[in-house]
Amino acid sequence: MATLYRVRSLLSIFNTKSTLSTYAPVCSFSTSPPCSQFESVGFIGLGNMGSRMANNLIKAGYKVVVHDVNCNVIKMFTDKGVPAKQTPFEVAEASDVVITMLPSSSHVLDVYTGPNGLLDGESRLRPHLFIDSSTIDPETSRKVSAAVSNFLLKEKKGFWEKPVMLDAPVSGGVLAAEADVFIQVGGSEDACLAAKPLFLSMGKNTIYCGGAGTGSAAKICNNLAMAVSMLGVSEALALGQSLGIEADTLTKVFNSSSARCWSSDSYNPVPGVMEGVPASMDYAGGFASKLMAKDLSLVAASAKAVGLKCPLTSQALEIYTKLCKDGHEMKDFSCAFRHYYFGKDEQ
């Protein structure tokens, strides 16, 4: 049955149809009402990214219940008529699917396996699907996925035999979280296909990466490349200015030649060169330096676990750790251009 489902699911993709298979409810990937097997969604973690993603689900027509340790953000949702629960366990009891967006691996473990956590209590769960969109290490994602798979379902639906977890961290930043996040997914491919309506309600693009933990692996690898390229562009622009080339002129050179990249043409780190980016707003908003340092720590730990030498990771981590120690932890990570290469608040 599972094999037949997979074949029919893949055929549906190739034929660009909007159904999953005859073994799951018919779901439109772009229209409401939401997919019937996931009408009730629990959302835990309502920070800058999570609150926007939860709002997108509400706008898409899902019945959302929320939980967060911050009473102020909870009030923002309850004031709009969105019910809140006191514990993660209560969220699970009220939901067909639970999405978590949490700060760190330890928070994820606590919300899933701690007292009153999502997996606390009896051996059967109501949610068919758990989606963790936190940026954490792949090993923790695999550990929580294995814990979820040890449970049974209170009520079977369609092809679901047991509850399933997907690690599905998002990229794109706070502004993109309004409607344009990119989601990288690890776990069961069948579950990823079934969750496609949910993903499209929160973002515009999803890539299936492989088994459990690969979504988390893709996210930290992406952030590693982003950190290193930002430092490379920053260093080149700092050198160019020191040699007498205007930053906007050198940026034009980069973007017309082989140095062109996201850090030069979409997120330039020099104040005044590009409108609407953190560099032109005193490095406010965007992706905080402390978060980049945290993600690079995850990269370093993962590289050590597999015995891979990553010297650029070590150098980038050192730079962003220093920025945080120097008091720039809340500035966007592109602030490395000004604070690290010039060592002061002025160019």
Side-chain angles (χ1 to χ4, degrees):
M1 182 73 74
T3 301
L4 181 58
Y5 171 79
R6 178 183 292 274
V7 171
R8 293 186 178 183
S9 296
L10 293 175
L11 284 174
S12 70
I13 293 177
F14 295 139
N15 294 329
T16 63
K17 294 180 180 178
S18 62
T19 57
L20 292 175
S21 83
T22 56
Y23 294 97
V26 175
C27 308
S28 169
F29 287 170
S30 58
T31 60
S32 55
C35 178
S36 61
Q37 62 181 320
F38 297 136
E39 288 180 352
S40 299
V41 180
F43 205 106
I44 300 175
L46 302 169
N48 287 332
M49 294 291 287
S51 60
R52 288 164 169 80
M53 293 165 65
N55 276 324
N56 286 342
L57 290 168
I58 293 167
K59 292 174 184 177
Y62 289 95
K63 299 174 183 176
V64 177
V65 299
V66 298
H67 171 75
D68 196 282
V69 295
N70 187 329
C71 295
N72 292 327
V73 296
I74 286 292
K75 188 175 186 301
M76 291 171 55
F77 280 85
T78 55
D79 284 349
K80 295 185 294 186
V82 178
K85 300 296 181 180
Q86 294 295 316
T87 66
F89 179 75
E90 291 178 15
V91 171
E93 290 289 282
S95 308
D96 301 318
V97 56
V98 177
I99 301 171
T100 50
M101 172 61 89
L102 302 163
S104 68
S105 300
S106 61
H107 291 94
V108 171
L109 288 172
D110 184 55
V111 165
Y112 276 85
T113 64
N116 293 312
L118 293 170
L119 307 182
D120 195 18
E122 39 185 288
S123 61
R124 293 182 179 271
L125 302 173
R126 174 182 170 178
H128 289 63
L129 180 63
F130 295 87
I131 299 174
D132 180 42
S133 291
S134 315
T135 299
I136 62 175
D137 63 284
E139 182 57 33
T140 297
S141 292
R142 288 189 286 267
K143 183 183 299 184
V144 177
S145 178
V148 168
S149 68
N150 287 329
F151 285 78
L152 299 173
L153 291 172
K154 287 185 176 180
E155 179 184 350
K156 295 183 179 180
K157 289 183 181 179
F159 72 93
W160 303 91
E161 296 292 336
K162 287 186 173 184
V164 177
M165 178 184 171
L166 296 172
D167 46 287
V170 301
S171 298
V174 172
L175 295 178
E178 297 289 351
D180 198 24
V181 294
F182 163 70
I183 306 173
Q184 44 252 291
V185 185
S188 160
E189 188 172 6
D190 291 340
C192 179
L193 287 167
K196 196 69 176 286
L198 284 164
F199 291 140
L200 289 181
S201 295
M202 294 185 288
K204 288 187 176 179
N205 193 12
T206 300
I207 290 183
Y208 175 70
C209 299
T214 57
S216 294
K219 175 62 187 291
I220 63 173
C221 289
N222 181 78
N223 280 17
L224 165 61
M226 181 172 68
V228 171
S229 66
M230 177 59 76
L231 293 177
V233 168
S234 295
E235 191 165 294
L237 288 169
L239 176 61
Q241 285 186 304
S242 298
L243 295 173
I245 309 172
E246 294 291 335
D248 57 349
T249 300
L250 191 53
T251 295
K252 291 175 183 176
V253 172
F254 290 173
N255 294 341
S256 300
S257 189
S258 53
R260 181 177 183 177
C261 63
W262 181 80
S263 297
S264 69
D265 72 1
S266 299
Y267 213 81
N268 198 282
V270 182
V273 171
M274 184 176 293
E275 295 182 358
V277 297
S280 295
M281 299 181 285
D282 193 28
Y283 299 102
F287 190 66
S289 293
K290 69 173 185 178
L291 296 178
M292 182 57 80
K294 168 239 176 185
D295 288 358
L296 289 169
S297 296
L298 295 176
V299 173
S302 296
K304 183 178 180 180
V306 296
L308 182 66
K309 293 182 179 179
C310 293
L312 295 181
T313 296
S314 300
Q315 185 66 30
L317 178 57
E318 180 181 326
I319 290 172
Y320 280 105
T321 299
K322 183 178 187 303
L323 284 171
C324 293
K325 288 181 179 178
D326 290 346
H328 306 303
E329 67 276 5
M330 297 308 295
K331 296 285 189 180
D332 181 78
F333 79 108
S334 61
C335 78
F337 166 77
R338 174 175 286 180
H339 299 294
Y340 184 80
Y341 290 103
F342 285 96
K344 54 185 180 180
D345 287 341
E346 299 180 27
Q347 296 181 40

